[in-house]
Amino acid sequence: MTAGTAPPSPPPSGAPTAGATRQWRGVVAEYADRLPPEVGTGTVVTLREGGTPLIHSQGLSQRTGCDVWLKFEGTNPTGSFKDRGMTTAISAAVTAGARALICASTGNTAASAAAYAAKAGLTCGVLVPRGKVALGKLAQALVHGATVLQIDGGFDAALSMCRSLDESEAVELVNSVNPYRIEGQKTLAFEVCESLGRAPDVHVMPVGNAGNITAVWRGYHEEHAAGRTAGLPVLRGYQAAGAAPIVRDQSVENPCTIATAIRIGNPASWGPAIAAAEESGGSIRAVTDRAILSAYRLAAAQEGVFCEMASAASIAGLLELADAGELTAGETVVCTLTGHGLKDPDWAIAGAATPPVIAADVDTAAQRLGLRDVA
Ligand code: F0G
């Protein structure tokens, strides 16, 4: 070594220095004791997902007579609940020696898989329905370096192709048919119980490929079985009316809804989703696109929460339950808002007037903002 040259510093460990204040560690580290050992004992691929806010809604509480809370999953690292299951699925895949990942997606799974694959140094292939993926989600998959293929067909065809590739090729499928995805996603229920100090009476959520309702039910069940909560919630799942195979009890060939994230005609977790709803004493029903759009606007304009269209199906469902007199006054209700509205700003802009252009003049601005009497 040349005199005066500092020795190379050791590679950064990622460990906090003494005196650092606490940071949420991600769902694998936070819930290691409640996840399969394969997930937490090897390499953990995390972007510190989970730890999302449970936001009280005064407006929806007043409207429904219940105590309504919004679990906003849009604050996850890639902007949706998928990150909870992706950290577990990809950690298990890396520990098992996988080099390549694949998934079918309406957008969010692709965005999440691409980000975690980038973090882990794996290749990622995603198959999406042509022309039916929100631009923000496509941008995420691309910027994280995934290979994106648009399928001339819907999500169901894309998932079927991925299942075949999983069998024939050396690739790890990270859709929610991967058991580690469900394991990670159940942590949402853990957080809700910890935030409330109990299980809610009712939990409302959108249903697409039906993995999430399956996962959340498992989470509540485990909390209850471990004696951490006294009760179990009633689960209320909502599909979009034009993409409601579970409600109609038959697969839908050409699903159609503005909520592209849940535009699915043949959900992979169909059976487990029905079991979850029934065991909980709840239901899976459909809400119209009109009701979803109105709930989407309400969430943004009255609650300050910009969620994506599919997420608003839970608020639309809540309002429908309230209008039908199916909620009991004073019940604690949680709605999952599954993803962030920024992923698909087109709908937000489409519903608003174009902002006027004015001269760079304070008086004009004050007048146009209604801050001064015009007279
Ligand atoms: N909400 C959003 C924002 C979603 O992206 C999805 C599913 C769901 C709800 C429904 O959850 O499938 O577990 O019933 N998106 C998947 C995807 C299909 O490819 O991103 P589910």
Side-chain angles (χ1 to χ4, degrees), residues 7 19 70 87 114 147 209 252 255 258-259 262 314 319 321 335 362:
L70 308 175
T87 183
T147 303
N209 208 26
V252 176
I258 57 172
I262 52 172
S314 62
L319 296 177
L321 287 166
C335 294
V362 172

Side-chain angles (χ1 to χ4, degrees), residues 52-53 55 70-84 106-109 111-112 134 136-137 140 188 204-207 212 259-262 292 295-296 299-300 304-315 335-345:
T52 57
I55 306 165
L70 308 175
K71 182 68 171 162
F72 187 35
E73 289 290 285
T75 66
N76 273 299
T78 77
S80 88
F81 72 97
K82 304 288 179 181
D83 296 344
R84 294 178 183 276
T106 55
N108 279 325
T109 299
S112 185
K137 301 174 189 179
Q140 288 178 286
L188 183 142
V204 195
M205 73 190 76
V207 173
N212 207 29
T260 52
I262 52 172
I292 292 174
Y296 164 85
V305 179
F306 189 17
C307 67
E308 64 175 282
M309 202 59 82
S311 310
S314 62
I315 293 181
C335 294
T336 307
L337 299 182
T338 44
H340 206 293
L342 281 173
K343 285 170 174 276
D344 190 7

Side-chain angles (χ1 to χ4, degrees), residues 202-208 210 212-214 234-240 244 246-247 262 273-274 276-278 280-287 313-314 316-318 320-321 334:
V202 181
H203 192 132
V204 195
M205 73 190 76
V207 173
N212 207 29
I213 191 166
T214 307
V234 169
L235 298 190
R236 300 286 190 183
Y238 282 90
Q239 301 194 296
I246 298 178
V247 181
I262 52 172
I274 291 182
E278 281 179 0
S280 78
S283 55
I284 296 176
R285 296 180 182 164
V287 277
S314 62
L318 168 80
E320 206 167 270
L321 287 166
V334 170

